[in-house]
Amino acid sequence: MSERDYAPLSIACVRGLCDKLYDKRKFAGVEIEKMVKDFSDAKNTSQIKRLIRVLGQDLISSTNPNVKNGALMGLSSVAVGLGKGCIEYLPELINPIVACFSESESRVRYQAAEALFNVLKIARGASLIHFPVVFDSLARLAADPEPQVKQAAELLDRLVKDIVTESASFDLASFIPMLRERIYTRNAFARQFVVSWVSVLDAVPDIDLIVHLPELLDGLFKMLDDANSEIRRMCDVQLSEFLRNIKKDPTSVDFQAMINILITHAQSPEELLQLTAITWIKEFVELAGVSMLPYASGILCAVLPCLAYSDEPRKSIRETAATVNFQLTKLVVSEEPPPQEGEEEGRLELEAVVGVLTQLLRHSSVHTKVAALDWILHLYNKLPGESIGLEGMRHFVYLNAVSTPAFVCSIGCDLESSPYYYKFLQALLRLLSADDNLLEDRGAFIIRQLCVLLNAEDIYKALSRILVQERNLRFAATMVDVLSTILLTSAELYDLRLQLRNFDKPATHTLFCVLYGCWCHSPVSLLALCLLTHNYHHCNRLISIFGDLEITVDFLTEVDKLVQLIESPIFAYLRLELLGGAQSGELRGALFGLLMLLPQTDAFHALRNRLQCAPAMPPAQGSEGKAERTKPSIDFDQLLEEFKRVQAAHREYKMLDRSRGKLLDKGYS
């Protein structure tokens, strides 16, 4: 190749420029600087362009790394020689340099970083028009595997950051997409590069990065679970700074654009990530107020499961989640004003919230379930007029909740004053009806706890009134047996038993009549109720009707259980009445009648021995009917007719079952 092919460079200059020794390349570079200055002084732009073309096209296209390095040295020298005049040739200078960042030879990449540094140092703010290509190059160099190249890239990066931060014309809006594009990189050095840029921009007083935070937040949070502790630290510090700025001036913050990002990360298993996200949510709820209500379902989905944490490392997460939950409940007011134009975003998405709470009632944690029920009750109290969503899931919510014993223990509200009191109990009975295992394993426990936490008399009256309307007569009879057993044996029902034993108050008469109507489903349970209330004369009338009933194995089993109860400490007062008194004769008659119903089993012999222990005494004169005469407010004849009617319905119910071949073994054998 002739000297004319490299003009205006001489062959000697080209050889020196492409020599592998740095000193020779530097000497050739100085020669180029002088040449360019002369051309510039003479305003010989054609020669300058020719020189740049030789360096940036001809030489740099060589496959020889030394030639490429010489071309890069030459381009750098052109910029130095032109000074501020290089601004007119920036595309011709920058593009060939940037292209060398993709070279496989690390020496070339290093030289390219040095050349670009020299060009940008001179051009300063004028180079920002080429910022996208420069930033792309920096991002690639940040992840360069060669330490020397990475070191040169760091110097170049600092220079570019200085240029950007000192410029009043930097186009931040155009830069954010470039930053967002690279924020999801998995390379540790590239991540550090991105975070450093976010940090630098956020530190510039005239740059409001908060406006663009929605585009960066997700990527920054993802870096919080990086294996590199330094990256986690950098992200944590920067996110803390962002949150501090948001709290200082929330007016320009787009809370709605970021809350779903936080909700997602608040469900992360990584502690730092989860704690940071929930902390942000806490501040958002406090700062943005009702505008966070449309996102309540997502927030609850994220924070309520955190209430289950019991270990010390996650104590802060649990406490922060509890604060968020409390703040959110305060935003739900009793009477929401109709939304004004542009205020739709402040409305609670009730159906979505209900859906989340319904799911959380299946959670394994009692604390989470309790919080979910608290929310349901809170919504009922604050938004009684809102039926959409609440009506559709009310039963499911209460039932799934109450099927967990510890959950029942947590109920502390006065359901009697709630419009949903009977709906709650109806739903409970439907659950027990549909799930035999639940009825057998937890049914009695649930009812006992409700009686302790609420009011036993109210619970029994309400359940009795509901069961009177029950169409599934087999279940009604089973449920009455459960209620009767609890009433007669449970320590929690002592006061109610005592109230029924002291049968001289009108209020007790009302309770007795309500229970009687329901207890008609189970003859033996009804007999036990009358024994408990000293209505022995009526017991005799009932037993006389028992002979007309179908005496099944289940029936005899219930009679056997009643005899065992009579022999228990609970009925000690009844056994003492056998010693004498106005009703002793009628009591003896009832117990002998019960004895006649039994086959000669252990229960038969136990009851016979008990009766034989009682002293002989003549029947009290005029005692027949005395119980009714002293209690004129109760029409026992009418009650007896109700018992007959219910038992007739049971006979018809069993016959229908048998005719269909679907009689269950349990219940009516």
Side-chain angles (χ1 to χ4, degrees):
M1 186 175 289
S2 67
E3 186 170 336
R4 186 174 58 185
D5 293 329
Y6 295 107
L9 293 177
S10 65
I11 291 293
C13 183
V14 171
R15 287 174 179 167
L17 194 63
C18 299
D19 198 283
K20 60 182 178 181
L21 295 177
Y22 177 78
D23 289 342
K24 290 185 178 182
R25 294 202 306 273
K26 184 63 176 175
F27 184 80
V30 172
E31 183 179 339
I32 291 174
E33 286 181 29
K34 183 178 182 303
M35 183 188 305
V36 170
K37 286 180 181 178
D38 292 341
F39 289 153
S40 179
D41 292 342
K43 301 189 185 306
N44 192 344
T45 57
S46 62
Q47 284 292 73
I48 296 174
K49 290 180 180 179
R50 169 63 181 165
L51 175 58
I52 294 175
R53 187 163 56 251
V54 169
L55 294 169
Q57 294 181 19
D58 299 339
L59 294 179
I60 213 164
S61 62
S62 172
T63 57
N64 188 324
N66 292 328
V67 176
K68 285 184 179 293
N69 283 341
L72 291 167
M73 174 67 80
L75 290 172
S76 177
S77 299
V78 169
V80 174
L82 288 172
K84 289 298 181 181
C86 73
I87 294 173
E88 298 180 26
Y89 308 96
L90 282 180
E92 294 86 350
L93 293 171
I94 291 177
N95 290 335
I97 295 175
V98 166
C100 290
F101 289 141
S102 301
E103 290 290 328
S104 59
E105 177 60 54
S106 63
R107 291 177 299 161
V108 176
R109 299 197 302 273
Y110 175 83
Q111 190 65 53
E114 187 177 85
L116 186 58
F117 180 92
N118 291 331
V119 173
L120 298 183
K121 186 176 182 180
I122 297 169
R124 304 299 292 187
S127 66
L128 289 179
I129 192 172
H130 305 286
F131 181 77
V133 68
V134 171
F135 182 77
D136 182 68
S137 302
L138 286 173
R140 278 187 284 139
L141 288 177
D144 198 287
E146 179 60 43
Q148 189 179 22
V149 177
K150 195 182 280 87
Q151 186 177 12
E154 290 172 359
L155 292 173
L156 177 60
D157 182 50
R158 283 200 289 270
L159 172 63
V160 176
K161 286 172 180 171
D162 288 341
I163 294 172
V164 167
T165 56
E166 71 187 17
S167 172
S169 60
F170 178 66
D171 189 355
L172 181 63
S174 298
F175 171 58
I176 293 299
M178 290 187 281
L179 202 57
R180 185 186 63 237
E181 181 183 346
R182 293 163 180 83
I183 205 167
Y184 292 103
T185 178
R186 299 298 300 176
N187 183 277
F189 296 107
R191 282 187 160 187
Q192 286 180 305
F193 169 77
V194 171
V195 177
S196 70
W197 265 95
V198 173
S199 179
V200 166
L201 291 174
D202 186 47
V204 179
D206 295 334
I207 293 180
D208 186 7
L209 201 56
I210 295 295
V211 175
H212 303 280
L213 188 55
E215 299 182 70
L216 306 175
L217 191 64
D218 181 57
L220 290 173
F221 265 92
K222 285 183 182 296
M223 292 186 196
L224 276 179
D225 67 349
D226 195 284
N228 188 305
S229 60
E230 177 60 19
I231 294 175
R232 291 200 306 271
R233 186 198 65 79
M234 290 174 63
C235 265
D236 190 27
V237 169
Q238 185 54 48
L239 286 169
S240 297
E241 182 63 19
F242 274 136
L243 189 57
R244 188 182 69 83
N245 292 334
I246 288 173
K247 292 164 63 177
K248 185 189 301 183
D249 181 17
T251 56
S252 62
V253 180
D254 191 349
F255 293 100
Q256 291 84 354
M258 292 187 282
I259 185 62
N260 283 329
I261 296 172
L262 300 176
I263 289 170
T264 299
H265 291 296
Q267 299 174 68
S268 168
E270 206 286 320
E271 291 179 18
L272 176 60
L273 179 53
Q274 188 176 36
L275 175 59
T276 305
I278 293 180
T279 301
W280 275 63
I281 291 175
K282 177 176 75 70
E283 299 299 339
F284 273 34
V285 172
E286 182 175 340
L287 295 170
V290 294
S291 66
M292 290 291 99
L293 283 179
Y295 308 93
S297 59
I299 294 173
L300 292 175
C301 186
V303 302
L304 292 192
C306 297
L307 302 179
Y309 295 157
S310 57
D311 54 318
E312 190 62 28
R314 293 190 290 184
K315 178 181 178 182
S316 297
I317 297 176
R318 182 183 70 248
E319 293 175 348
T320 307
T323 302
V324 173
N325 185 44
F326 176 71
Q327 289 174 330
L328 204 57
T329 59
K330 292 195 299 182
L331 296 179
V332 181
V333 295
S334 298
E335 296 182 3
E336 285 195 53
Q340 303 297 318
E341 185 177 355
E343 292 184 355
E344 289 81 0
E345 69 275 6
R347 303 286 290 179
L348 183 71
E349 297 291 341
L350 190 58
E351 288 192 59
V353 171
V354 163
V356 167
L357 295 175
T358 300
Q359 294 299 319
L360 289 174
L361 286 172
R362 296 193 181 103
H363 198 276
S364 59
S365 166
V366 171
H367 297 291
T368 299
K369 288 184 177 180
V370 169
L373 180 66
D374 285 342
W375 260 98
I376 295 296
L377 297 178
H378 185 66
L379 292 174
Y380 282 146
N381 292 331
K382 294 296 183 180
L383 306 174
E386 296 282 355
S387 60
I388 298 177
L390 293 177
E391 287 292 340
M393 52 63 67
R394 179 183 298 122
H395 298 164
F396 179 83
V397 169
Y398 280 127
L399 297 183
N400 280 276
V402 81
S403 65
T404 304
F407 188 83
V408 177
C409 294
S410 70
I411 300 175
C413 59
D414 181 12
L415 289 179
E416 179 64 30
S417 64
S418 167
Y420 308 104
Y421 176 57
Y422 278 94
K423 291 183 180 295
F424 165 74
L425 293 177
Q426 286 171 343
L428 171 60
L429 290 177
R430 273 198 292 277
L431 177 65
L432 296 175
S433 174
D435 190 342
D436 290 340
N437 291 329
L438 178 62
L439 175 60
E440 183 177 348
D441 297 340
R442 296 179 177 175
F445 177 84
I446 292 171
I447 293 170
R448 290 203 313 272
Q449 293 303 319
L450 287 174
C451 290
V452 170
L453 297 168
L454 304 176
N455 179 284
E457 180 180 351
D458 290 340
I459 290 292
Y460 263 71
K461 286 195 295 187
L463 289 174
S464 298
R465 286 170 177 147
I466 295 170
L467 285 170
V468 165
Q469 308 297 324
E470 177 61 50
R471 294 183 179 181
N472 184 343
L473 300 187
R474 184 181 69 84
F475 170 71
T478 302
M479 201 64 219
V480 167
D481 288 339
V482 171
L483 292 172
S484 176
T485 300
I486 295 172
L487 175 63
L488 296 174
T489 63
S490 173
E492 294 91 339
L493 275 294
Y494 173 79
D495 289 337
L496 187 59
R497 283 199 301 275
L498 192 61
Q499 178 183 342
L500 287 167
R501 280 177 54 189
N502 298 327
F503 201 71
D504 57 352
K505 296 180 180 179
T508 303
H509 295 175
T510 300
L511 172 61
F512 173 79
C513 290
V514 171
L515 297 181
Y516 191 105
C518 174
W519 262 235
C520 286
H521 286 291
S522 175
V524 178
S525 293
L526 181 60
L527 182 63
L529 176 65
C530 293
L531 287 172
L532 177 67
T533 54
H534 308 280
N535 288 296
Y536 305 135
H537 176 73
H538 195 70
C539 287
N540 282 289
R541 298 181 67 185
L542 283 173
I543 292 173
S544 67
I545 298 174
F546 284 3
D548 297 328
L549 302 179
E550 182 180 3
I551 305 299
T552 65
V553 173
D554 285 348
F555 177 88
L556 293 175
T557 299
E558 292 302 317
V559 175
D560 191 287
K561 291 179 182 177
L562 178 57
V563 172
Q564 294 178 43
L565 279 174
I566 292 172
E567 290 296 312
S568 72
I570 290 176
F571 273 100
Y573 74 92
L574 182 145
R575 298 195 299 272
L576 290 174
E577 289 188 24
L578 290 171
L579 298 176
Q583 297 192 82
S584 176
E586 291 178 342
L587 173 59
R588 288 167 183 256
L591 295 182
F592 272 111
L594 199 60
L595 188 67
M596 295 302 103
L597 290 173
L598 285 168
Q600 294 190 24
T601 60
D602 290 343
F604 172 88
H605 295 297
L607 183 56
R608 185 185 64 176
N609 292 339
R610 176 63 65 184
L611 288 169
Q612 288 177 346
C613 289
M617 60 181 300
Q621 295 297 320
S623 62
E624 184 176 352
K626 186 174 182 180
E628 283 103 329
R629 287 197 301 272
T630 58
K631 305 172 182 62
S633 63
I634 298 177
D635 187 344
F636 279 92
D637 290 335
Q638 183 178 349
L639 292 179
L640 199 62
E641 289 303 314
E642 175 64 13
F643 172 71
K644 292 177 181 179
R645 185 193 67 77
V646 172
Q647 287 304 306
H650 273 270
R651 282 195 299 273
E652 184 177 349
Y653 187 85
K654 286 187 286 185
M655 289 176 63
L656 184 61
D657 262 1
R658 286 167 179 164
S659 67
R660 293 176 179 174
K662 295 182 178 180
L663 182 64
L664 301 178
D665 292 335
K666 181 180 180 181
Y668 304 115
S669 58

